[in-house]
Amino acid sequence: MNNHEIMYRIGFLAGILSGGILAILLVRLIRTDRTLKCKYDERQQLIQGRAFKYGFFSWMFFDGFCILADIGLEVRWLDRSTVLFLGMLVGMTVYVSYSIWHDGYFSMNQNPRKVLALLVLAAVLNMLCAARNIYAHQGVLENGVVSFHYSCNLLMAAFSVFLLSVMAVKSILDHKKPE
């Protein structure tokens, strides 16, 4: 292992550690009572349980499809990390979308405006990082396949924008409902 690889791994681990600390601070910031624990009522817990089940099955269906495509097509369009990450995003998208749509996503001690602001910030930052990666590497391909290193931010930006869209549509429909 050369010096560049060692420094890359140290930087990667430092980034994960910094991201974890930042995540804890941001979670505390979006809570109305500054705690880390979310408070949900029974209805929200039931909705989240159902959403988790649907998200899990979606992830398994995606993995099954990827296995069949790998066996049958023998063509690699995505590297392994990208496929695994896409599977996680599929499951999380189903879970969060279902929870939002059925009013089970925001906890009772959470400020929805701060969550939205954080999601917008995440979308913008990921779009900027994706644009930089695509510009610096002339795309997201590496050796003819979509590389996780160059596509991760683009996928996270798409995930964030999709969730913001779900929240916006849900909010519009809720405001149109007669009281």
Side-chain angles (χ1 to χ4, degrees):
M1 194 176 331
N2 63 30
N3 192 31
H4 177 72
E5 290 174 347
I6 292 171
M7 295 308 289
Y8 174 80
R9 290 182 180 179
I10 290 172
F12 185 77
L13 292 174
I16 289 176
L17 180 64
S18 301
I21 292 169
L22 181 63
I24 289 171
L25 293 174
L26 290 174
V27 165
R28 291 192 67 184
L29 178 71
I30 62 173
R31 302 275 189 268
T32 56
D33 57 2
R34 302 284 187 233
T35 62
L36 290 176
K37 186 152 176 69
C38 294
K39 296 174 182 160
Y40 297 102
D41 61 24
E42 293 87 16
R43 182 190 60 80
Q44 288 176 306
Q45 289 173 347
L46 289 171
I47 289 168
Q48 286 186 353
R50 204 172 308 126
F52 183 82
K53 179 175 68 172
Y54 294 152
F56 175 77
F57 286 139
S58 299
W59 188 358
M60 292 300 102
F61 179 77
F62 177 84
D63 280 354
F65 175 78
C66 289
I67 290 168
L68 292 175
D70 184 50
I71 292 169
L73 297 177
E74 296 183 17
V75 176
R76 306 291 182 267
W77 293 318
L78 308 168
D79 68 4
R80 183 179 299 137
S81 296
T82 304
V83 171
L84 294 171
F85 189 64
L86 274 172
M88 289 184 345
L89 283 180
V90 166
M92 287 190 314
T93 300
V94 170
Y95 168 74
V96 175
S97 298
Y98 186 90
S99 295
I100 291 169
W101 202 255
H102 295 281
D103 298 319
Y105 184 69
F106 296 110
S107 67
M108 295 184 297
N109 63 333
Q110 206 169 41
N111 184 334
R113 290 182 196 265
K114 288 182 180 179
V115 174
L116 287 172
L118 188 61
L119 198 54
V120 167
L121 177 66
V124 169
L125 289 176
N126 276 298
M127 284 180 204
L128 290 173
C129 289
R132 183 208 157 275
N133 286 339
I134 290 169
Y135 178 75
H137 302 287
Q138 287 84 39
V140 295
L141 298 179
E142 185 175 47
N143 299 324
V145 297
V146 175
S147 168
F148 176 75
H149 297 290
Y150 307 138
S151 66
C152 174
N153 294 110
L154 184 61
L155 294 171
M156 281 305 297
F159 173 71
S160 300
V161 168
F162 180 79
L163 293 182
L164 285 167
S165 302
V166 171
M167 288 178 189
V169 169
K170 174 70 172 146
S171 178
I172 290 168
L173 291 176
D174 284 350
H175 281 82
K176 286 186 176 181
K177 282 183 186 174
E179 295 294 321

